[in-house]
Amino acid sequence: MSQLNFSVVTNSSNDTATKESVASFTTKERGLLQSLQHTLHRTPSLVPLIVLVISLLVFGLLLGGKFFSSFVLTLILQQVAIVGIVGAAQSLVILTAGIDLSVGAIMVLSSVIMGQMTFYYGLPAEAAIAIGLSCGALMGYINGLLIAFMRLPPFIVTLGMWQIVLASNFLYSANETIRSQDIEKNAPLLQFFGEKIHIGGAVFTYGVIAFIVIVFVLAYVLNNTAWGRHVYAVGDDPQAAELAGVKTKKIIVSVYVLAGFICAFAGWALIGRIGSISPTSGQFANIESITAVVIGGISLFGGRGSILGMFFGALIVGVFSLGLRLMGTDPQWTYLLIGVLIISAVAIDQWIRRISS
Amino acid sequence: MSEPMLSVRNLVKKYGRVTALDHCDFDLYPGEILGVIGDNGAGKSTLIKALSGAVQPDSGEIHLNGKKVQFSSPIAAQDAGIATVYQTLALSPSLSIADNMFLGRELRKSGFIGKVLRQLDKKKMQRIAREKLTELGLMTIQNINQTVETLSGGQRQGISVARAAAFDSKVIIMDEPTAALGVKESRRVLELILQLKAKGIPVVLISHNMPHIFEVADRVHIHRLGRRLCTINPKEHSMSDAVAYMTGAKEPDGIMAT
């Protein structure tokens, strides 16, 4: 790159006046509400973090020590780990202004494939897991190709893929569950992510640790690599990104491949969580992952939000579910409140986006 | 006059039965501002898209500094030194100024962190972005990390121009840079164009705004029915002449054909 030596054109008084009105940036005269809007705009994960802290405090006050124990708080992490991992995949897709309805199906089929490879073809668990993970990536690849090159809407492609993958899952597994004891005896590696680490009263599973690691690795990748910046640019304005030199199609395909891979990984973690391999498990993973992403403040219109927000969003759902259960309320209240949260989250997103006007 | 640095011969582009470019010629000389005008549908934008790599011509040749070039994509044209400031500006509103300036050509840190962890060198990119904006007198934009959507239309245009000028560009094409701007902001953009010229970078300026074209252009390329009708010197012709040629109301006789 050449460092061109160029003297700034000297300003006549007229010129300066023009510049002030054109290129100056007003930092003052901002109301409280506006500065709040700006802060939230800069740090999109702040809203879910505030909601999370408030809900923790409210449930803590209502339930006291019953809620504020390291056991209960880590139990929440265990309960949201699977949805959170799938939510990480969903976040990537939604950042590109897409949506992936097939995440849950890919997760379940991948776990079934891992089981079938071990128990019906007698492969070692390591190989079975590798095959399961590649199948997840392959399904994501098909999604990505159809979306990027056939220009089909992501909603339709993944809606179709959801049905196709789920049906394949039932056909392939003949709707049979592989029992937990068998897995434990023959292929304990499949249950790896269910293993627990006790630190005082706190219980962490490897699945929880994997969830946290995935979120932080993706947060790093999205913020500090060119690929990550391109994911945002593609979701923000694909034409602009293309003209600026981003290979938008490659980015979209790579996002769906990575999403498929992460979902397959969630399938592995799912075996650890429930012990067995069941083709009927994880039915609601797609809706729950979208919920976590939306409550986490990631815009469904793409290009805005952070994966840390999704992390907080998943935890909010976990806190509500467990908190309300401990209070002994009807579980329907959980769904009702989560519905309210979803709509509020999108309303806040719209408000924050109005900053440019 | 010296050799043209960018020249086009017999460029043809058809969209189905519509001929957008009909054996079109085009010349840009070093250090000049060339205005391009033409009626709607005359094929200006197709010509520009062919130059910037967004459209691949059916036949004809493009020469840059005497060498024949062919662009498969806008990136290929940028790599060859033809930078385009699109009417839509091609900026990502939710990314920062620095991110936008380096979009598609990010700089990575050196060593393990850059090569293996692929970490971007944000500090360096911010520093260069700030330098480039300062060169163009745009540094009243204080925070290089503020998102582009918080900027005014003129500021965004400035970012887009700075990006085009930043990367060893030999030619900058500007498509309707003042169309969406107010009077004061338009003035600022015209000043920017003159600054680019002062830096020795030739500019192709496409505009519907005749006063703007006649104010800054050294020559004016008049496009009509998919080809160059003529090139005029704005000091020797009036704006109404230009409009008359452009619309076919008047034939340009005795004008240089190049």
Side-chain angles (χ1 to χ4, degrees), chain A:
Chain A
M1 191 170 316
S2 72
Q3 301 292 331
L4 290 161
N5 286 322
F6 171 69
S7 56
V8 179
V9 176
T10 44
N11 302 324
S12 63
S13 59
N14 177 32
D15 191 14
T16 327
T18 319
K19 243 189 259 171
E20 259 164 17
S21 56
V22 175
S24 63
F25 177 62
T26 49
T27 42
K28 298 147 231 158
E29 302 156 35
R30 224 190 261 160
L32 193 67
L33 203 62
Q34 259 183 312
S35 44
L36 177 70
Q37 195 181 18
H38 269 268
T39 314
L40 297 179
H41 185 258
R42 252 199 315 278
T43 328
S45 56
L46 216 54
V47 181
L49 180 61
I50 292 167
V51 174
L52 177 63
V53 170
I54 291 175
S55 52
L56 277 172
L57 287 177
V58 168
F59 281 113
L61 284 176
L62 291 174
L63 292 160
K66 207 161 86 176
F67 183 76
F68 259 136
S69 70
S70 47
F71 176 76
V72 170
L73 294 179
T74 47
L75 184 63
I76 292 173
L77 272 172
Q78 288 177 45
Q79 287 177 339
V80 301
I82 304 294
V83 168
I85 296 173
V86 176
Q90 190 71 264
S91 302
L92 289 173
V93 170
I94 288 181
L95 279 175
T96 67
I99 192 142
D100 194 340
L101 299 175
S102 63
V103 284
I106 292 178
M107 172 179 80
V108 176
L109 180 57
S110 302
S111 75
V112 163
I113 287 172
M114 290 175 195
Q116 297 276 327
M117 289 296 148
T118 325
F119 289 92
Y120 292 90
Y121 302 98
L123 291 176
E126 292 84 358
I129 288 162
I131 292 170
L133 292 176
S134 337
C135 285
L138 177 71
M139 288 179 264
Y141 184 58
I142 297 169
N143 275 339
L145 283 185
L146 291 172
I147 290 160
F149 290 95
M150 302 277 290
R151 294 170 182 281
L152 300 175
F155 184 90
I156 298 301
V157 169
T158 58
L159 181 69
M161 196 54 116
W162 175 16
Q163 304 300 329
I164 294 167
V165 172
L166 206 60
S168 316
N169 162 52
F170 287 125
L171 292 172
Y172 181 52
S173 64
N175 215 350
E176 279 172 12
T177 299
I178 300 172
R179 292 189 310 159
S180 182
Q181 304 93 294
D182 297 339
I183 301 173
E184 216 175 316
K185 203 164 67 192
N186 300 315
L189 186 63
L190 289 177
Q191 290 177 336
F192 173 75
F193 286 106
E195 278 175 45
K196 291 181 172 126
I197 306 171
H198 297 265
I199 305 170
V203 183
F204 293 95
T205 59
Y206 284 117
V208 167
I209 295 165
F211 166 44
I212 295 170
V213 168
I214 287 175
V215 166
F216 280 93
V217 167
L218 284 179
Y220 167 83
V221 168
L222 284 170
N223 285 314
N224 290 299
T225 70
W227 184 84
R229 301 281 81 196
H230 291 178
V231 168
Y232 277 92
V234 166
D236 205 10
D237 187 339
Q239 279 88 31
E242 179 82 49
L243 289 173
V246 175
K247 295 189 172 62
T248 51
K249 287 181 177 167
K250 268 192 190 164
I251 295 291
I252 287 178
V253 173
S254 64
V255 162
Y256 281 91
V257 170
L258 184 56
F261 180 83
I262 295 174
C263 290
F265 187 86
W268 182 11
L270 181 71
I271 303 174
R273 171 96 190 120
I274 60 176
S276 59
I277 296 174
S278 163
T280 53
S281 57
Q283 294 284 358
F284 300 104
N286 50 3
I287 292 303
E288 287 171 352
S289 70
I290 294 169
T291 303
V293 168
V294 170
I295 293 180
I298 297 180
S299 171
L300 287 172
F301 302 102
R304 257 161 253 260
S306 80
I307 199 149
L308 278 179
M310 185 284 301
F311 181 73
F312 300 137
L315 286 176
I316 290 169
V317 176
V319 168
F320 269 75
S321 314
L322 195 67
L324 289 170
R325 201 182 315 153
L326 286 175
M327 286 173 71
T329 53
D330 190 311
Q332 294 307 327
W333 283 104
T334 312
Y335 297 116
L336 191 147
L337 283 173
I338 287 171
V340 172
L341 278 179
I342 291 175
I343 294 173
S344 322
V346 174
I348 291 173
D349 175 48
Q350 293 288 10
W351 177 63
I352 296 172
R353 284 161 65 91
R354 240 176 279 143
I355 205 162
S356 41
S357 56

Side-chain angles (χ1 to χ4, degrees), chain B residues 199-219:
Chain B
K199 286 174 82 170
I201 304 173
V203 177
V204 180
L205 172 63
I206 301 107
S207 181
H208 272 102
N209 191 315
M210 287 293 167
H212 289 168
I213 293 265
F214 272 69
E215 184 182 334
V216 296
D218 299 309
R219 292 188 309 134

